Amino acid sequence: MNLNTISGDNPQLSVTDFGENFIWGTATAAYQIEGAVNDDGRGPSIWDTFSKKPGKIKNNDHADVACDFYNLYESDLELVKKLGFTDFRFSVSWSRILPDGTGQKNQKGIDFYNRLIDKCLEMKITPWITLYHWDLPQALENRGGWKNRDIINWFSDYTKLCTLEFGDRVRNWIVLNEPMAVAGLGYTTGLHAPGKKGIWNFLPVVHHLAMCQAEGGRIIRNHVPDAYIGTALSCSFVKPFTRNPKDILAAKRADAVMNRLFIEPVLGLGYPTDAFPFLSGIQKYMLPGDDKKLEFDFDFIGLQNYFSVVVRHSYLAPVLWLKEVPARKRNVPITAMGWEIDPDGMYEILKQFSDYEGIRDIIISENGACFTDVHTDEQVNDVERINFFQQYLRSILKAKNDGMQVKGYLVWSLTDNFEWAEGYNARFGLVHVDFKTQKRTIKNSGKWFSDFLRIEKDVIK
Ligand code: GCO
């Protein structure tokens, strides 16, 4: 089977169309893959605590072992290579290198990331560090976590430490991963760690995240010569359910929260209070000079797009006054998690971000899909995932050809992993993991990428 051939009328998708310098990588996150939560002096994170509480994670899964990446990183990096990728994104577990979040550093934890980085370089894989991918040290949550303004100092010290330890070998840095999910799921709905609920948490948490986002950028700039610095934002193209003005306003509010909230302060535009006046409450948490400190001239913005959303006005949902109209009820293609497959939405959101003045490069720092994979005869024939990637890549190529500054694409994810509140059943990998044996099997989507990316080697080089 030629996995690179696309059925139907679509012309062949070729990696050469993206240009020689386009970056191709896979993305991961520490808590989702590392395991080894008690090894070599690592301190607990909020995800260790949260996942041990009954009923928080499907099947009561936790990530004590996860993909055992802590021990298997070398062979997993070989898979990155085998699939034809040149870049690898991982995150640093804050409590692995600072078990109490601040103060005494844990050399053994630092050594793990040194081994990982050195191995990447030895294998000619370019490492990308994410500083914060949701696993706050529990010790800091005990002091108020993201609600406490002191986190700006804690995060600054942690960032400084990472730049001093790893900055001599790592050029690509992502400050935060999806701050909106931290504020929304972690501190407002409580569906993610630390499981805090209440709309009044939202505003201070947003502000402290936004402050850390910019401050982190400045610290990296000051400590890492030549750094390529970004932050990774979730984004979803938002459509109103009907042309009714109420639905249109509801879509604007959703857009303010989902797409504008963390980019506009960076660009000096402040929080998007025009579309969602509730956000003016953030003023209460701002000190003189904060508006300026929210700004930073990032080299790139990491966009993570998985689906589009449709919303309608609702009197039953206070504060946002809207409801999502689930994709399942709209008769549109969906993934196993019920997310709408909408490659046009990827194009639209790229356009929306490209239209801002002041954004330099865009990296798709995550994109991927969860399907119910069937593992038989040492194979996973995940045709739906191959289709998903082909469609999304076509949209990205179109955006690039239309002049948008898209410079790279990182697949979510290398292997199946611990999908937060969904546990292990939601599989996003190009590589299947048997979580009982840690056996890896490259899925057909992985083979497709390896064929697709290898054309580059044959044609360009
Ligand atoms: C996120 C995270 C990833 C998820 C992925 C699939 O952005 O939500 O960065 O950790 O696993 O997005 O849900």
Side-chain angles (χ1 to χ4, degrees):
M1 174 177 50
N2 181 356
L3 292 160
N4 196 44
T5 311
I6 299 152
S7 54
D9 305 330
N10 287 322
Q12 177 115 348
L13 186 68
S14 165
V15 76
T16 52
D17 298 336
F18 289 81
E20 199 169 346
N21 297 323
F22 198 80
I23 295 159
W24 295 96
T26 59
T28 63
Y31 190 69
Q32 295 182 272
I33 59 169
E34 282 180 4
V37 293
N38 297 315
D39 290 13
D40 295 336
R42 177 186 178 277
S45 83
I46 53 174
W47 273 95
D48 296 293
T49 315
F50 184 73
S51 59
K52 300 293 162 54
K53 291 189 183 153
K56 297 292 181 195
I57 313 287
K58 284 199 181 144
N59 299 316
N60 288 324
D61 286 342
H62 55 70
D64 284 7
V65 179
C67 308
D68 199 20
F69 181 80
Y70 191 73
N71 295 303
L72 300 177
Y73 68 96
E74 295 196 3
S75 45
D76 279 351
L77 288 178
E78 271 159 29
L79 289 169
V80 173
K81 258 309 228 229
K82 196 161 178 188
L83 299 188
F85 293 98
T86 52
D87 290 59
F88 181 66
R89 174 184 168 203
F90 61 93
S91 75
V92 174
S93 152
W94 186 339
S95 63
R96 199 180 280 293
I97 71 169
L98 286 168
D100 297 323
T102 56
Q104 196 62 35
K105 67 180 186 183
N106 175 30
Q107 191 56 44
K108 284 192 172 160
I110 294 172
D111 287 346
F112 167 66
Y113 295 106
N114 280 330
R115 289 196 295 280
L116 173 60
I117 293 164
D118 289 345
K119 191 72 199 171
C120 283
L121 298 177
E122 186 192 312
M123 294 176 75
K124 303 221 171 354
I125 294 171
T126 307
W128 293 62
I129 285 186
T130 310
L131 285 173
Y132 187 72
H133 203 128
W134 303 357
D135 44 356
L136 188 73
Q138 182 60 45
L140 297 182
E141 181 54 34
N142 296 346
R143 294 159 76 182
W146 285 102
K147 281 166 66 182
N148 185 343
R149 192 179 164 103
D150 288 347
I151 198 153
I152 303 171
N153 294 330
W154 305 332
F155 185 74
S156 297
D157 291 346
Y158 162 65
T159 301
K160 215 170 288 160
L161 176 64
C162 289
T163 59
L164 295 176
E165 298 288 346
F166 313 128
D168 56 335
R169 286 153 297 153
V170 179
R171 181 177 171 247
N172 304 298
W173 295 76
I174 292 174
V175 180
L176 297 183
N177 180 75
E178 299 194 4
M180 177 49 205
V182 175
L185 302 172
Y187 287 85
T188 309
T189 64
L191 294 174
H192 276 190
K196 294 264 162 2
K197 288 186 191 149
I199 187 66
W200 299 110
N201 296 332
F202 186 72
L203 300 175
V205 169
V206 164
H207 186 54
H208 300 148
L209 283 160
M211 290 290 283
C212 286
Q213 180 172 255
E215 191 57 26
R218 278 186 287 275
I219 292 169
I220 301 166
R221 184 73 79 226
N222 289 337
H223 288 85
V224 182
D226 246 8
Y228 186 54
I229 309 171
T231 193
L233 305 178
S234 48
C235 53
S236 287
F237 186 57
V238 183
K239 300 175 267 192
F241 186 54
T242 69
R243 299 311 298 167
N244 181 318
K246 281 211 163 72
D247 284 354
I248 292 175
L249 282 177
K252 288 204 164 128
R253 285 194 295 282
D255 180 53
V257 174
M258 298 179 79
N259 301 317
R260 300 173 54 195
L261 188 55
F262 286 94
I263 187 62
E264 297 199 357
V266 164
L267 299 173
L269 302 170
Y271 293 109
T273 49
D274 57 324
F276 188 33
F278 173 77
L279 293 173
S280 18
I282 289 187
Q283 270 306 329
K284 198 172 132 203
Y285 303 95
M286 290 180 71
L287 296 185
D290 276 10
D291 329 32
K292 270 275 147 220
K293 288 188 189 152
L294 287 168
E295 294 177 35
F296 182 70
D297 188 9
F298 280 105
D299 299 308
F300 70 92
I301 297 299
L303 292 189
Q304 326 210 128
N305 175 256
Y306 288 87
F307 51 83
S308 298
V309 295
V310 170
V311 299
R312 66 188 306 177
H313 179 86
S314 164
Y315 286 111
L316 300 175
V319 186
L320 267 169
W321 305 110
L322 61 84
K323 273 206 170 134
E324 192 185 342
V325 186
R328 268 198 190 92
K329 297 202 172 148
R330 291 185 280 114
N331 201 19
V332 290
I334 54 172
T335 69
M337 273 165 73
W339 294 352
E340 177 180 358
I341 302 171
D342 181 23
D344 293 342
M346 168 66 97
Y347 180 90
E348 293 300 332
I349 202 75
L350 280 171
K351 176 144 182 24
Q352 185 172 330
F353 274 78
S354 296
D355 283 348
Y356 282 116
E357 230 170 85
I359 290 191
R360 296 171 185 275
D361 295 352
I362 292 176
I363 301 280
I364 308 292
S365 43
E366 282 181 24
N367 173 240
C370 161
F371 291 107
T372 323
D373 295 328
V374 184
H375 184 258
T376 43
D377 302 330
E378 299 303 304
Q379 281 226 39
V380 178
N381 187 16
D382 53 342
V383 182
E384 290 169 296
R385 192 174 283 107
I386 298 176
N387 284 334
F388 177 95
F389 283 123
Q390 291 178 344
Q391 293 178 57
Y392 274 74
L393 285 173
R394 270 210 188 80
S395 279
I396 292 162
L397 182 58
K398 180 169 181 325
K400 195 171 179 303
N401 290 341
D402 288 351
M404 301 178 210
Q405 297 301 312
V406 193
K407 298 292 169 70
Y409 180 83
L410 311 182
V411 173
W412 186 268
S413 185
L414 175 63
T415 57
D416 294 334
N417 59 40
F418 175 78
E419 176 57 25
W420 308 114
E422 298 293 318
Y424 292 104
N425 269 342
R427 294 177 177 269
F428 277 84
L430 297 177
V431 176
H432 178 275
V433 175
D434 178 331
F435 289 101
K436 288 203 186 79
T437 61
Q438 292 300 339
K439 186 172 183 316
R440 273 64 167 155
T441 308
I442 298 178
K443 301 180 191 175
N444 281 359
S445 57
K447 293 181 189 162
W448 179 80
F449 261 105
S450 123
D451 277 6
F452 171 73
L453 294 171
R454 258 172 247 287
I455 290 175
E456 177 177 42
K457 298 206 180 80
D458 301 342
V459 177
I460 296 186
K461 294 197 180 132

